[in-house]
Amino acid sequence: MTRRARPGAIAAIAALALRPGRLVVVADFDGTLAEGSRDPGAATIVPLARRSLRRLAGVAAARPGRVVVAILTGRTAADVAGRVRVGGVTYLGDHGLQAGTYPRGGRPSSIVTTFRDGHEASLEPAGILAARVPEVLGRPAWLFVERKGPSVAFHVRQAEDRVAARAAVEAAIEQVDRELPPHELSHYRGRLVVDLRPRSAGGKREAFEELLSQLRPATVVAFGDDLSDADGFAVLRAARAAGACEGLAVAVTGPHGMPDEVRAAADLLLDTPFEAARALSALAAALLRENAAGR
């Protein structure tokens, strides 16, 4: 498929609303719905993205067979729900290892989260690594540790030299690993984070496959900016090639640029999370026009 740049990309995304059948909207959070922040704890959603998601959630509530919205992120489901603050959508946290939702008009703190079974043995080693790696590194100010139950992420985006910081984290993990009995945690994809998760849990590729299998959509639009999102894009493009659905993989250029692998996996490119928000707004407007027309 020929790649198109903005504004043609936004028009192409909005045109997906014209296709009959169920539309599934899947979006990453950091660098996609939210502006990049050197402090992972300070990431905030683009206001237009929140308003657009609320409008999409309204359509989904009125016509659940028409639209489904999912946020697929490396963050925990509870964390991203508190940042997005839109009820009636599905929050798939820890790259799909967690799933949660809460009602429209409700509070994000009311989210009910379920965890995929079979990874309980990773809880203890993940907890030990989360505690010990910062100690080995001397608790540097640039390190942000994200505990996610059976997985753990070490963010290095606040470091001045991120390459050196990432290498230091990996060396510390190796040191702590030598103190632990064998476990299933292994490195997952990411540029500014060292993410350890159960090997058998898979990642966004498997989460995307499960979404398509469960929902059987006619059309899908997926937004993302990082290497893990490229895995989801590959699933969408394979399903499209097989005739299982239509749709577009949309890569968003974040503050740290875009990996070549993500660019190659995408159908369309958007310049910033603000452009992604505009695309979601255009998609929501098209669906609302459809509702108004009684189609």
Side-chain angles (χ1 to χ4, degrees), residues 94-97 116-122 150-151 183-188 196-207 209-210:
D94 197 2
H95 307 289
L97 199 55
R116 195 179 299 163
D117 294 333
H119 305 294
E120 293 78 10
S122 293
S151 60
H183 58 76
E184 204 202 358
L185 295 175
S186 64
H187 291 256
Y188 185 58
L196 300 179
R197 55 192 283 103
R199 190 175 296 105
S200 61
K204 286 192 177 181
R205 180 186 304 276
E206 290 77 9
E209 289 173 341
E210 187 172 344

Side-chain angles (χ1 to χ4, degrees), residues 1-2 4 12-13 15-26 66 68 208 211-212 215-223 232-250 267-268 283:
M1 182 175 292
T2 302
R4 283 164 285 184
I13 293 164
L16 295 178
L18 301 176
R19 296 180 177 273
R22 174 176 283 164
L23 168 66
V24 172
V25 181
V26 186
R66 180 67 172 103
V68 176
F208 217 101
L211 265 180
L212 297 190
L215 298 175
R216 299 192 179 281
T219 312
V220 181
V221 57
F223 298 83
F233 291 172
V235 172
L236 169 55
R237 295 182 73 173
R240 192 175 65 205
C245 66
E246 293 296 328
L248 295 168
V250 184
D267 300 307
L268 302 177
L283 188 62

Side-chain angles (χ1 to χ4, degrees), residues 118-137:
H119 305 294
E120 293 78 10
S122 293
L123 290 167
E124 184 175 0
I128 293 172
L129 283 158
R132 287 281 294 123
V133 166
E135 291 178 358
V136 170
L137 292 171

Side-chain angles (χ1 to χ4, degrees), residues 10 31 58 143 148 154 176 189 197 215 218 256 278 289 292:
I10 292 175
L143 181 66
K148 298 186 280 188
F154 301 94
V176 177
R189 291 152 73 77
R197 55 192 283 103
L215 298 175
H256 308 293
R278 285 187 59 204
R289 284 195 297 269

